[in-house]
Amino acid sequence: MAGFRTELSFCPMLFVIGVSHKTAPLAVRERLAVAPERVAEVLDSLLEKEGVEEAVLLTTCNRNEIYAWARPQDKRLLIDWLSRLGGAPEPGWNDYYYAHEGEAAARHLFRVAAGLESMAPGETQIQGQVKTAYQDAHHAAAAVGPELHQLFQHALNAAKGIRTETSLDAPHSIPYAAIRLARKEFGSLGGKTALLVGAGNTVRALAFHLRQQGIGRLRIANRSAEAARELANEFDGTALGLDDIPAAIVEADILASATNSESTLLNAGSFALRQIDKPLLVLDLAVPRDVDHRVGALPGIRLISVDDLAEVIAGSREMHDSALSQASRAIEPALAAWRKERRIRTAVPTICALRAEATQARRETLTAARQIAATRGIETALEYLASTLTNRLIHAPTVRLREAAVQKDEALIAAARDLFDLGEKDKQGQHSDDAAA
């Protein structure tokens, strides 16, 4: 029995270790954020650890999670590794992280991909972020093997199906909540000027919702002039460089920033040219934050972070609850499909080996039967073929079942009866033999 436990300790399993907006403040999450260009390097450092076979790192503005296929005893290693992504572990780290394993870890990923664990439940952006995390781990870092490949494919397909089959397609996201807050702040956005910093999916969503709400002027600043021009052309705006931001702030009513920068982009000096009597709503949707928190103390400026949007989102959640409940129920059948396919896949090598052995037996026996047919006739050859194939195919199971009987291994005998679909057949004969013994 001790040997059995030792063997199990080397059998890898699924883990997810993470922090999210539900468990950790923004100050903790931003320290753990990893820029896209560093993902391969960071995952390599984890895969160098003995026992960690596969890994995917998911980093968004609301969560930092590592999904890993590793040995049971490596759970603590994964927890410590995540805690050190931003340097020394955060004080009170044990109060911030969560850990799931096995099917609970799979269920968590399915819920995350469907947007059910998001700050804005049902938001669509997370599905793309999960897909990107998988692709980065798979292609850039070569960190994905058969287990996580199958898991993430099922989770992404489930998220797509849930969104199609439920009413979760309603606009419900952090960018949407941010613009909803701007509407509440200014009333009509007609005649207002918005300055967006960045050119990724979040800024694209902000530009879309601003145009939907009738924003007056739209300006988009980015480190890449080409990316800024492309997005500005799409939403009838003006493209700017990062050096143009201080001057553009002078005319802005709304400034929203969402970049992948690992350091602060805007500090108090960036706002030096603006008139202090002109209200300015600053929406910092980046993790790590793009805007120095001290900017919020400047006269006339209201600084909002992603965590500040939770109250806005909660206020519009009631109408969404029915769809969320429906989507939550849809997770279980999708999870069952993943579980079934995984069980089938684990049996494939055994099935292939069994077929290969049967094919080899058929070929060898058929060759011998043809030689017999040529010299002793068809009937003799057929009898040889039938009896030899039967004996070859049942020899190993018969030997093993006899050993099981001697060892009183009733479980193996019952499994064989089920495997060969014997049902209740021949049980009477078995009982008679037992009585005679």
Side-chain angles (χ1 to χ4, degrees):
M1 195 67 178
F4 177 67
R5 289 197 189 98
T6 302
E7 183 179 337
L8 280 182
S9 70
F10 288 95
C11 293
M13 62 187 300
L14 178 65
F15 288 100
V16 58
I17 314 294
V19 298
S20 75
H21 64 282
K22 295 180 178 180
T23 66
L26 178 57
V28 173
R29 303 199 310 274
E30 65 183 352
R31 286 192 60 192
L32 300 179
V34 176
E37 60 270 18
R38 291 189 56 231
V39 167
E41 169 198 343
V42 168
L43 286 177
D44 281 347
S45 73
L46 177 59
L47 292 174
E48 288 174 356
K49 312 292 185 184
E50 183 181 355
V52 181
E53 298 183 6
E54 306 177 34
V56 173
L57 179 65
L58 175 62
T59 297
T60 75
C61 60
N62 284 325
R63 68 183 60 252
N64 308 88
E65 297 179 336
I66 184 68
Y67 292 84
W69 186 251
R71 299 174 306 183
Q73 64 266 39
D74 293 322
K75 179 178 179 179
R76 188 71 240 179
L77 179 152
L78 295 170
I79 294 169
D80 292 342
W81 179 86
L82 183 66
S83 75
R84 290 182 170 84
L85 271 187
E90 190 75 24
W93 167 250
N94 288 338
D95 296 328
Y96 296 135
Y97 81 85
Y98 48 84
H100 303 299
E101 54 192 67
E103 189 168 313
R107 180 179 287 103
H108 179 79
L109 175 62
F110 277 57
R111 289 183 59 82
V112 167
L116 299 179
E117 295 294 328
S118 297
M119 179 184 288
E123 54 99 357
T124 58
Q125 195 173 359
I126 185 62
Q127 187 176 337
Q129 291 168 328
V130 170
K131 183 176 182 179
T132 298
Y134 161 77
Q135 290 175 335
D136 287 347
H138 189 25
H139 301 301
V144 174
E147 294 293 344
L148 293 188
H149 169 74
Q150 184 188 56
L151 174 68
F152 273 77
Q153 292 304 310
H154 271 267
L156 289 166
N157 288 335
K160 183 178 179 181
I162 287 170
R163 200 162 298 286
T164 301
E165 296 163 13
T166 68
S167 53
L168 275 182
D169 266 334
H172 210 77
S173 65
I174 288 176
Y176 176 75
I179 303 311
R180 191 167 179 266
L181 178 63
R183 277 290 306 270
K184 184 177 180 180
E185 186 85 1
F186 294 108
S188 171
L189 298 185
K192 300 298 181 182
T193 297
L195 171 60
L196 306 183
V197 182
N201 291 332
T202 298
V203 170
R204 183 181 298 276
L206 286 166
F208 172 80
H209 290 303
L210 283 167
R211 280 299 178 207
Q212 289 286 97
Q213 296 298 324
I215 191 70
R217 288 187 297 174
L218 184 61
R219 295 178 173 180
I220 300 173
N222 193 58
R223 182 172 282 106
S224 165
E226 182 180 350
R229 279 195 301 271
E230 182 180 334
L231 201 56
N233 289 338
E234 183 179 349
F235 292 101
D236 192 23
T238 303
L240 304 173
L242 294 185
D243 292 340
D244 300 319
I245 290 176
I249 287 176
V250 174
E251 297 181 348
D253 301 288
I254 302 167
L255 185 156
S257 187
T259 75
N260 287 322
S261 175
E262 293 188 297
S263 58
T264 300
L265 284 181
L266 304 173
N267 54 33
S270 308
F271 297 80
L273 299 178
R274 63 174 288 273
Q275 299 175 355
I276 62 174
D277 58 346
K278 179 179 172 61
L280 176 63
L281 177 63
V282 179
L283 303 165
D284 187 355
L285 307 187
V287 179
R289 285 172 280 195
D290 284 339
V291 184
D292 189 308
H293 68 92
R294 287 167 289 194
V295 167
L298 297 176
I301 291 181
R302 184 182 180 191
L303 175 60
I304 300 293
S305 71
V306 287
D307 282 4
D308 296 326
L309 290 171
E311 184 178 342
V312 178
I313 293 167
S316 61
R317 190 169 292 173
E318 292 77 7
M319 62 182 179
H320 214 46
D321 282 350
S322 175
L324 289 173
S325 177
Q326 183 184 5
S328 293
R329 290 194 298 271
I331 290 290
E332 294 308 315
L335 194 62
W338 163 77
R339 191 165 52 238
K340 178 181 179 181
E341 184 173 323
R342 185 171 180 274
R343 286 173 178 165
I344 292 173
R345 187 169 59 79
T346 58
V348 166
T350 302
I351 294 171
C352 290
L354 182 62
R355 284 188 176 277
E357 186 172 328
T359 298
Q360 180 68 16
R362 176 182 63 80
R363 287 173 178 169
E364 292 175 355
T365 307
L366 185 59
T367 298
R370 283 171 175 158
Q371 294 172 350
I372 292 172
T375 58
R376 298 166 56 188
I378 293 294
E379 287 298 323
T380 303
L382 287 176
E383 179 62 30
Y384 169 83
L385 183 66
S387 62
T388 302
L389 267 181
T390 299
N391 290 334
R392 288 191 64 168
L393 292 176
I394 70 170
H395 174 71
T398 301
V399 171
R400 185 66 188 90
L401 284 170
R402 283 173 177 163
E403 292 174 352
V406 171
Q407 298 167 5
K408 297 184 178 181
D409 189 347
E410 297 295 336
L412 180 59
I413 295 171
R417 183 170 291 280
D418 184 54
L419 179 65
F420 294 108
D421 196 24
L422 298 179
E424 297 298 317
K425 290 181 287 185
D426 297 330
K427 270 198 172 182
Q428 186 60 46
Q430 176 186 334
H431 293 325
S432 299
D433 291 343
D434 289 346

